[in-house]
Amino acid sequence: MNLVLFGPPGAGKGTQAKVLQETRGLPQLSTGDMLRAAIAAKSELGLKVEAILAKGDLVSDDIVIGIIDQRLNQPDAAKGAVFDGFPRTIPQAEALDKLLESRGKKIDLVIELKVDEAVLLGRAEQRVKETIAKGGTPRADDTPETVKNRLDVYRKNTAPLVAYYQKQGKVVTVDGMAPIADVTKAIDAAVAQKSR
Ligand code: AMP
């Protein structure tokens, strides 16, 4: 099964993608994680995208489509994947449909995590605090200013994807404000229904 976890930054996509990886054995394909890994490795790609991520703007479609294309060639993605933070634009969604089609696959399900955007800023602040408490380094793009920009970018470029996938009849909406365990349960039910 190929599944897209959809929602604004801070909606809990990463958390739920990790649960699905555990419970369903579907690898989490997070372009954000891949880009951060490239930045940490100071690779050519990392150097190119570092300032873009720090601002909360979008990396070019070509770059992220290329990353996903390569990632889909790895054996663990053969039985499906959970897309987390990709696609973020209509051209990315169209490219993903083509990449999957060329491999005899398709997006089976899109889970839209519905959240109150006003709460997301608070969540970002919480994440920063928790990461520091654990002795880690918070994400450079979790500052209130950048989170605001990421939400603006989401509204403008990414939110229209809901209609794109609704036209394909693939969207199941889940209340992302519910406790994490309840969100997990709702997603699990949607995945189970689709697998039947
Ligand atoms: P995320 O961890 O998914 O919130 O992504 C962190 C940052 O990486 C985003 O704010 C963008 O700068 C960049 N990024 C991640 N995925 C994409 C994507 N699909 N398209 C463009 N930029 C992306």
Side-chain angles (χ1 to χ4, degrees):
M1 157 155 332
N2 284 287
L3 190 156
V4 175
L5 277 180
F6 192 82
K13 299 187 296 290
T15 302
Q16 297 300 335
K18 286 189 177 69
V19 173
L20 283 164
Q21 184 159 270
E22 281 285 305
T23 57
R24 301 264 169 191
L26 299 170
Q28 171 193 15
L29 269 51
S30 158
T31 39
D33 283 352
M34 295 175 209
L35 293 167
R36 280 185 290 277
I39 291 169
K42 300 196 188 304
S43 67
E44 198 179 318
L45 169 66
L47 294 174
K48 201 161 153 186
V49 301
E50 188 165 16
I52 302 172
L53 265 81
K55 269 197 279 177
D57 289 336
L58 291 185
V59 168
S60 77
D61 289 338
D62 286 354
I63 289 180
V64 286
I65 291 164
I67 291 178
I68 287 291
D69 190 8
Q70 281 181 12
R71 183 64 184 83
L72 284 173
N73 287 337
Q74 290 178 25
D76 65 334
K79 64 172 177 174
V82 178
F83 295 90
D84 162 13
F86 181 92
R88 263 177 155 98
T89 65
I90 298 280
Q92 287 179 26
E94 289 169 348
L96 179 59
D97 282 347
K98 287 204 186 98
L99 290 177
L100 290 173
E101 199 186 321
S102 70
R103 292 165 170 88
K105 298 188 183 121
K106 62 174 170 44
I107 292 296
D108 299 289
L109 180 63
V110 177
I111 303 277
E112 179 197 14
L113 292 173
K114 256 255 172 344
V115 288
D116 177 348
E117 288 189 21
V119 179
L120 296 181
L121 210 57
R123 278 194 184 178
E125 283 164 4
Q126 190 62 28
R127 268 204 305 277
V128 170
K129 274 190 212 141
E130 282 171 10
T131 308
I132 292 171
K134 279 191 226 151
T137 310
R139 277 173 55 160
D141 59 355
D142 261 346
T143 63
E145 219 175 68
T146 311
V147 171
K148 263 188 218 123
N149 186 43
R150 286 160 68 201
L151 284 171
D152 287 344
V153 168
Y154 171 81
R155 253 179 251 119
K156 184 164 165 251
N157 299 287
T158 310
L161 288 181
V162 176
Y164 177 88
Y165 285 119
Q166 267 167 349
K167 261 186 227 147
Q168 300 184 2
K170 292 178 178 167
V171 180
V172 172
T173 303
V174 166
D175 175 14
M177 301 311 290
I180 291 177
D182 293 352
V183 178
T184 299
K185 237 189 247 169
I187 294 175
D188 194 58
V191 173
Q193 165 108 31
K194 202 76 205 182
S195 316
R196 248 181 245 143

